Amino acid sequence: MTESRTEAPATAGQIAASGDTGEPAFYYPPQELVDQSNIMAYARERGFADAEALRQWTVENSTEFWADMARRLVDWYEPFNTVLDDSEAPFYKWFTDGKINIVHNALDRQVKTWRKNKLALIWESEQGEAKTFTYWQLYKRVNKFANVLKSMGVQKGDRVTIYLPRIPEIMIAMLACAKIGAMHSVVYGGFSVEALQTRIVDAQSKVVITADGGYMNGKIVELKKITDDAIKHTPVVEIVIVVQRTGQEIEMQPGRDLWYHDLMALPIASPKCETEQVDAEQPLFMLYTSGTTGTPKGLVHTHGGYQVGVATTLHFTFDIKEEDVWWCAADPGWITGHSYIVYGPLILGATQVMYEGAPTFPYPNRWWTIVERYGVTILYTAPTAIRGLMRFGEAWANRHDLSTLRLLGSVGEPINPEAWRWYHRVIGQGNCPIMDTWWQTETGGFMITPNPTTPLKPGSASRPFLGIDADVVNELGEPAGDDEDGLLIIKQPWPSMLRTIYNNPERYLEQYWDKAPQGLYTAGDSARQDDDGYFWVIGRIDDVIKVSGYRLGTAEVESALVSHPAVAEAAAIGLPHEVKGNAIHTFVILKNGIEPSQDLEDELRAHVGTMMGPIAKPEAVNFVPSLPKTRSGKIMRRVLKSRALGLPEGDLSTLES
Ligand code: WTA
């Protein structure tokens, strides 16, 4: 067998051509998996012959479907009567008159059943230490920390910023906020000073939760130091709670900084804490995401609709059963982690694995040792990780018993067919269907995804999820033809959709609803649909770059560059990269009298790393005398990209002459 090669994300054209290589066009799931799947059980109960017939019914009867899910999968303090309130569309509201709390369903109700002693979480550190938490142990810790937050005056509706590594305390902190009705705003631990500061300021968080440091790839990430720098000029922050992870020396500012373990040892940290009964539409969290402008958007999700969405999608797509060991290898700091590490698995009462560190630490078989050690049955990760591991060759995986796996998943960017096939053949040993889930921070849960009964085409996310009406339209808003590129849109609301952009409802309207006609949700992705109705997502059409599946705004990278004293102007674009999917390339005009040099290039790359975080470090800094701009002065990144790729530059009629 020849070693796999990586390639840039595929287009539908490449897939069609791949038929020539003798690869099957469809990969069919094992019949036993289909017969025993959660989705077939529901289809049978509803009188449908297969999952596709069920799906079509749910799209036409979406409110009935979602109401059914809201009653089956989660418990309410007070039941809802209204399913969908569209009186102020597109500010949709779901289950409006119901009372609920996501923590009630994630923890409180579990500890009243036999699941009290079931493992909720198996955590493995990068150094190989393991810690386990039963539902009861997690429940008690969340209660204690919720009492700590309350004692600091954190109340319903307040925002708390969480900046932690991938350790159990990130889950505990998020759940504790939710329990008392406060909103968490998690900032990914790979972000740095400027990114953290803008997010704290926008959220106006009085409390920040961080750690002394975090481990990644055998090195320490100085989270507390970054936090100190970020809040130096941010008077809104009154309290910083610090989890001790590395034990390294750090500065603690008296009166402001408090150790987590000291607080948890206080009498005030009682293991009993009533869960706040909130309206379904009470905001649960905000999560910042990059958009077209420099200021990141705080996307708001709510207690009711969000939990119905994540529980339903996880139940049907990944077919979670009582005996499964679920492993979502994402970071809790991104939406994937919010929905499918912190909330979804707990609501369904699953056992899950969380791993602190890098996939190749200390060797490229680390992930496979984890699958083997804990008997992982479902693994959910990103194409970039697959491509990265593929490069080391399959021998690393072949050394391990991966036979417990029954389903695999992919998220974050299009998966190229070659990586898909490697994942399917080497990791899934040909038996595990791959759920290629297309969704966004905005959507809260899966939108276009196979289910365990779907015949799969490598590289396609297949069809919309139950109750989701997706389409591809051209610029006039008309349905695009088969295999014709267009805008990916969603035609009807769904419970886990974002409700607004924090403090910026106008931007919510403009960004998502004013682009396609008749109030359709525009995702910001281009896609095409083939004649089987399968969706092929191509990529972002806005100024968002997906680097290793991480979502970064060109504007944030540019503003980090311009904050360097040598830089007059800067532009950032994404160019294809073998492993990362896309890499950031930048174009910089230096200030008068400053000479370009290799040292300066290195310095600028490092500067972006310090300001934004290592994930945003540009691959290249090109020094240029000018940048292509429109007559109104907007940088035409499209032109830069075409030039870099040697493609035609397209319509230049608006280019400044
Ligand atoms: C991209 C991540 C192709 C897409 C959950 C989307 C995907 C953006 C897929 C959202 C997929 C996500 N196939 N592209 N399976 N999943 N994307 O908000 O461009 O970090 O708009 O949410 O990721 O990124 P976000």
Side-chain angles (χ1 to χ4, degrees), residues 2 5 115 432 621 648 651:
T2 52
R5 210 172 21 87
R115 285 183 184 145
C432 305
V621 177
D651 178 10

Side-chain angles (χ1 to χ4, degrees), residues 39 49 73 203 215 260 324 446 481 496 523 563:
I39 197 164
L73 293 176
Y215 289 106
Y260 173 86
D324 275 313
F446 310 147
S496 65
S563 72

Side-chain angles (χ1 to χ4, degrees), residues 322-456:
E322 209 62 80
E323 18 347 301
D324 275 313
V325 178
W326 163 251
W327 182 18
C328 168
D331 192 280
W334 298 92
I335 192 68
T336 309
H338 279 53
S339 298
Y340 301 111
I341 297 177
V342 178
Y343 292 113
L346 295 180
I347 294 170
L348 299 183
T351 294
Q352 71 173 317
V353 170
M354 185 198 282
Y355 165 56
E356 177 181 44
T360 50
F361 189 87
Y363 300 111
N365 64 336
R366 181 58 184 270
W367 272 18
W368 319 128
T369 67
I370 292 175
V371 170
E372 187 172 40
R373 190 155 34 251
Y374 306 112
V376 172
T377 58
I378 312 172
L379 170 65
Y380 185 36
T381 182
T384 184
I386 303 299
R387 289 191 296 262
L389 291 166
M390 223 171 123
R391 281 203 313 178
F392 294 100
E394 63 188 77
W396 290 103
N398 292 343
R399 280 166 55 184
H400 298 278
D401 177 8
L402 305 180
S403 63
T404 50
L405 288 170
R406 64 184 194 94
L407 274 176
L408 299 173
S410 173
V411 61
E413 52 173 325
I415 179 162
N416 49 306
E418 187 152 14
W420 194 102
R421 289 200 185 91
W422 189 86
Y423 194 25
H424 188 261
R425 178 176 61 80
V426 178
I427 308 308
Q429 309 192 332
N431 297 317
C432 305
I434 299 173
M435 303 297 108
D436 176 0
T437 59
W438 176 86
W439 60 295
Q440 308 178 290
T441 309
E442 288 84 346
T443 70
F446 310 147
M447 298 299 278
I448 302 180
T449 174
N451 63 63
T453 75
T454 312
L456 303 171

Side-chain angles (χ1 to χ4, degrees), residues 225-245:
K225 196 168 170 305
I226 294 170
T227 307
D228 288 342
D229 290 346
I231 62 181
K232 216 179 279 164
H233 307 292
T234 312
V236 61
V237 177
E238 292 165 9
I239 294 174
V240 178
I241 300 175
V242 188
V243 177
Q244 191 167 43
R245 170 68 195 109

